[in-house]
Amino acid sequence: MPNLSFLDVINLCDNTRVHQTSPVPSPYDAELLVPFYLSESPDSPVIGLVRPVIVNQLILENQRNRELRLDELFALNLDVANYIKRNDRVPGPSVSLRDWLDTHAKRTAAMKELCERWRDTLLFEDVCGPKKWRDEMYPVYSDPLGVHDYPNDSTPGEGLNYALEMERSACALFGFIKYGVHMTIYEEVEVDGEKSIKAWVPTRARTKQT
């Protein structure tokens, strides 16, 4: 591995390069990341990116629901014949939530059942298993860089950027953007006539899952 500065490491970890080689070669470079759309509509926004292992599991989830005579959760357009012409996008494989999941409450309930079942069956134990489960619901937005609104009595959900809520640890499986706050404090001090900076860097508790 080449010598990297802190900024190099941040840029490496903070960016997903779709169909591009990472600055540090990785076996993941060969994976085809499939866009995850909010709905089946051609003008639906992309809200995530899913790896092949997740796509394969979503195929099994749809099969399971059919066997149980339940509605499918996912529209899987993985073959060229099934590609949807998306606005301003080159046609390609895609995954989306089914159109019957047309409210934030329905989407939240469906994904909650799915993620809790994956947790209880240890399907992706290293990501959302019992030891990684946070029991924190994170908002997912139609536009991750847009306004971070939330439904209330006066705005029940229609017209909001807010799309659904999902277990924090499981968001990574779908490539959903998550937000957090990290605080570092510094103080300018003078010792023996020389100025320097003291930094307070918080340390993650050993008992926290992530």
Side-chain angles (χ1 to χ4, degrees):
M1 179 177 291
N3 293 326
L4 301 176
S5 68
F6 284 127
L7 184 58
D8 290 333
V9 173
I10 291 172
N11 287 331
L12 177 62
C13 295
D14 194 44
N15 290 278
T16 297
R17 296 166 174 82
V18 182
H19 311 316
Q20 296 182 31
T21 302
S22 170
V24 178
S26 164
Y28 296 115
D29 290 343
E31 288 194 339
L32 175 64
L33 298 177
V34 176
F36 191 109
Y37 290 84
L38 181 60
S39 74
E40 299 174 68
S41 170
D43 58 358
S44 171
V46 176
I47 60 173
L49 290 170
V50 287
R51 297 176 55 206
V53 64
I54 303 300
V55 173
N56 291 337
Q57 183 57 38
L58 300 186
I59 293 173
L60 295 178
E61 292 295 333
N62 276 358
Q63 179 181 329
R64 170 188 178 273
N65 281 22
R66 289 193 297 270
E67 292 172 351
L68 295 175
R69 298 186 178 181
L70 300 173
D71 292 328
E72 294 181 357
L73 299 184
F74 305 101
L76 305 170
N77 303 294
L78 306 175
D79 301 320
V80 175
N82 297 326
Y83 287 172
I84 295 177
K85 183 174 177 54
R86 305 281 183 178
N87 292 349
D88 302 323
R89 293 184 182 274
V90 177
S94 66
V95 171
S96 75
L97 294 172
R98 284 291 188 186
D99 280 343
W100 69 268
L101 296 166
D102 55 359
T103 67
H104 65 82
K106 291 179 183 178
R107 293 187 286 262
T108 295
M111 296 303 287
K112 182 176 186 292
E113 188 281 329
L114 177 77
C115 294
E116 289 179 352
R117 180 158 43 81
W118 287 3
R119 174 199 64 192
D120 295 341
T121 56
L122 307 182
L123 185 58
F124 298 104
E125 185 178 8
D126 60 330
V127 179
C128 63
K131 293 184 178 179
K132 296 291 186 179
W133 194 262
R134 299 300 304 268
D135 203 23
E136 289 182 56
M137 297 295 281
Y138 259 40
V140 177
Y141 299 98
S142 298
D143 177 3
L145 302 180
V147 61
H148 290 183
D149 49 21
Y150 193 83
N152 55 42
D153 292 340
S154 60
T155 55
E158 294 81 0
L160 296 181
N161 190 31
Y162 171 83
L164 71 149
E165 280 185 326
M166 218 173 88
E167 157 62 27
R168 175 179 178 175
S169 64
C171 286
L173 295 174
F174 295 88
F176 295 156
I177 292 179
K178 299 183 297 182
Y179 296 89
V181 175
H182 180 88
M183 182 172 65
T184 299
I185 299 173
Y186 72 91
E187 178 186 9
E188 294 183 352
V189 298
E190 185 173 335
V191 179
D192 297 331
E194 293 188 4
K195 292 184 178 181
S196 62
I197 293 178
K198 286 185 176 181
W200 178 81
V201 181
T203 303
R204 193 68 169 174
R206 292 183 181 273
T207 54
K208 298 290 275 188
Q209 296 92 333
T210 57

